[in-house]
Amino acid sequence: MIDSMRETLFATIKVNSCMEITNQTDYKNAGIYMIYIDNFSDEKIIPFYIGQTKNFQRRYKEHLSEIMALNRLDCDYYNALLVNKFYDGSLKTCKMFKYMVDHGCSLKDFHMIILENVNELDKLDQKEQEYFKLYHPAFLGFNQMNTRLAVNIFGWSHKPETPHTEDEYVALCDTVSDDISNIYKYKEYGFTMFNFKWAFIKQLPYTDGKNIENIRTMIDNVNERLDRLREDLLCTEEKIAEARKNELYIKLKELRNVESKIFSIKEELINSQIIPKVQKLFEDNNIKSNTAYNDFVDSILYINEKTKNSFLNYLDKRKIYVNFYREFEHELGEKERIDCELRKYEIPI
């Protein structure tokens, strides 16, 4: 399936390559265009996008500037922003750029060609849909499914005083039904599952206060298909994820219990051995300074060089020549052993 579409695209690119848009061209007509990344090595994704524009040259510059904006991001920031927060589903530029990064592409691999000039602007939508049906870019490439746009337009066009017509509901239901069929067909390819998971509707809206039986029946049928689609494609995956989440929760609880027991041993060592010994040592050497006491405790419990130096300076000024740290070698060695045990649980937790 995907190999035959690749061949079709190769043929289209070959025929239309003479109409490639670059920084040196000046194509200001309206029409339908195709973007493709000249690296077709992926087994699941065909790197192309189909769009419409009223000015080819301006649209080319917009696409290129969007790619360049992502390319200028720091790598860590890119990963944080675009990988972890990638799930809008409509960000075609993010999809393109991610493909280019994953496949080692550069801007030399980014191409935009004219598929067809369209002089009548009111026919742009119709022409774009003809190419969508021919190439299926929302399921094999970078485009978004028609449902997302159709639902947005459906919402925008709504006015309380002028409820949606039956024809508008029929058109919306037909669009969603077509996308549902294609999701089943192309679920293994492109960004189909990505778009479905993150940008597809869960339910169609019902009539705006009008009880039109045939429309309600039609919407019910589509919603049943939507429920079945989610059940078929997401249920198993979600159940596996939920089971894994429960396993991890149980494991986390076990780790925290062990960590808590070890921490209690550490607390016992500090409160029953180290602190009483510190207090006695300070009493024996007639040290009543709270600052000195806090500095010493902080330096041995948290290995703080700053407070250690401060405490040593205090001893030097007081001409106290007792090696306080040697007095606690055994206890601090035991504390370090416990801390090592605790550190073993940091990464797993």
Side-chain angles (χ1 to χ4, degrees):
M1 182 192 301
I2 197 168
D3 289 335
S4 63
M5 183 55 70
R6 274 201 192 95
E7 292 303 319
T8 301
L9 278 166
F10 288 154
T12 301
I13 291 169
K14 185 175 181 181
V15 170
N16 293 278
S17 59
C18 60
M19 297 293 287
E20 180 171 356
I21 304 165
T22 68
N23 286 321
Q24 284 72 47
T25 57
D26 192 25
Y27 296 117
K28 295 182 179 178
N29 295 344
I32 309 300
Y33 64 89
M34 177 194 293
I35 289 174
Y36 68 92
I37 310 302
D38 196 10
N39 181 314
F40 290 82
S41 59
D42 198 287
E43 295 180 358
K44 298 294 184 181
I45 301 172
I46 301 180
F48 76 111
Y49 172 87
I50 289 175
Q52 60 167 279
T53 182
K54 296 177 182 178
N55 184 314
F56 287 118
Q57 201 67 38
R58 183 176 63 228
R59 194 72 183 106
Y60 171 77
K61 290 179 180 178
E62 289 171 354
H63 279 298
L64 202 60
S65 65
E66 289 170 357
I67 291 288
M68 290 296 292
L70 299 186
N71 192 52
R72 284 192 291 267
L73 293 180
D74 173 82
C75 185
D76 290 338
Y77 184 69
Y78 162 78
N79 286 328
L81 179 65
L82 299 178
V83 176
N84 298 333
K85 297 184 182 291
F86 184 55
Y87 303 114
D88 179 286
S90 66
L91 302 177
K92 64 183 185 293
T93 308
C94 292
K95 297 174 189 174
M96 292 181 197
F97 189 65
K98 185 176 188 304
Y99 186 93
M100 294 174 74
V101 171
D102 290 346
H103 296 79
C105 302
S106 69
L107 286 177
K108 292 181 180 179
D109 300 304
F110 179 90
H111 300 274
M112 180 169 163
I113 58 175
I114 296 173
L115 295 179
E116 183 176 346
N117 289 292
V118 180
N119 295 324
E120 300 175 64
L121 298 183
D122 60 346
K123 291 187 177 179
L124 277 173
D125 288 341
Q126 175 191 333
K127 280 292 181 183
E128 186 179 46
Q129 287 303 314
E130 290 175 8
Y131 283 97
F132 280 0
K133 290 178 181 178
L134 180 62
Y135 295 110
H136 304 293
F139 303 96
L140 300 174
F142 301 127
N143 283 77
Q144 186 50 258
M145 296 177 197
N146 280 328
T147 291
R148 185 182 177 97
L149 178 60
V151 169
N152 287 341
I153 293 175
F154 192 81
W156 294 334
S157 64
H158 173 68
K159 295 179 181 178
E161 65 275 13
T162 55
H164 292 299
T165 66
E166 184 171 343
D167 287 343
E168 287 174 322
Y169 274 106
V170 170
L172 179 62
C173 287
D174 286 345
T175 297
V176 177
S177 294
D178 285 344
D179 277 349
I180 289 173
S181 298
N182 281 321
I183 289 170
Y184 277 115
K185 184 177 181 181
Y186 297 106
K187 63 179 185 282
E188 302 294 332
Y189 300 101
F191 286 91
T192 300
M193 286 302 293
F194 175 88
N195 292 337
F196 171 54
K197 286 180 182 179
W198 303 106
F200 207 67
I201 60 170
K202 290 184 171 66
Q203 291 284 297
L204 271 178
Y206 283 95
T207 56
D208 350 52
K210 300 192 323 182
N211 187 22
I212 303 175
E213 191 60 36
N214 61 326
I215 293 179
R216 291 190 65 85
T217 301
M218 179 173 55
I219 293 173
D220 283 339
N221 290 336
V222 174
N223 282 338
E224 285 178 13
R225 292 190 67 192
L226 282 168
D227 289 340
R228 191 160 58 249
L229 178 66
R230 301 192 75 83
E231 179 73 19
D232 291 345
L233 299 189
L234 296 184
C235 184
T236 301
E237 182 179 302
E238 288 175 352
K239 284 180 179 177
I240 292 172
E242 186 64 26
R244 178 60 177 153
K245 180 180 176 182
N246 290 335
E247 288 175 7
L248 289 172
Y249 178 77
I250 292 170
K251 184 64 177 175
L252 176 63
K253 193 173 180 180
E254 292 173 353
L255 289 169
R256 288 205 182 280
N257 284 337
V258 176
E259 181 193 41
S260 179
K261 290 177 182 177
I262 298 173
F263 191 78
S264 295
I265 295 172
K266 177 180 174 180
E267 290 289 291
E268 177 68 17
L269 172 68
I270 292 172
N271 294 325
S272 67
Q273 296 186 47
I274 294 178
I275 295 301
K277 188 173 179 178
V278 171
Q279 292 172 342
K280 187 176 185 311
L281 194 59
F282 270 60
E283 288 175 6
D284 292 345
N285 288 275
N286 196 30
I287 299 175
K288 298 179 181 180
S289 168
N290 288 331
T291 302
Y293 177 87
N294 291 331
D295 283 345
F296 179 67
V297 170
D298 186 72
S299 69
I300 62 174
L301 294 186
Y302 305 106
I303 321 299
N304 189 325
E305 288 296 321
K306 183 178 179 181
T307 53
K308 181 178 180 178
N309 290 332
S310 177
F311 179 68
L312 291 175
N313 287 335
Y314 172 83
L315 293 180
D316 189 52
K317 288 179 181 177
R318 286 282 312 276
K319 300 187 184 306
I320 299 172
Y321 301 111
V322 178
N323 191 329
F324 279 63
Y325 292 96
R326 184 175 297 168
E327 294 289 331
F328 287 86
E329 283 182 350
H330 172 74
E331 290 81 359
L332 295 181
E334 182 64 14
K335 177 183 167 295
E336 177 58 26
R337 185 189 66 77
I338 296 172
D339 283 337
C340 285
E341 283 295 309
L342 284 173
R343 283 193 288 272
K344 291 178 183 178
Y345 291 89
E346 288 179 3
I347 292 176
I349 286 175

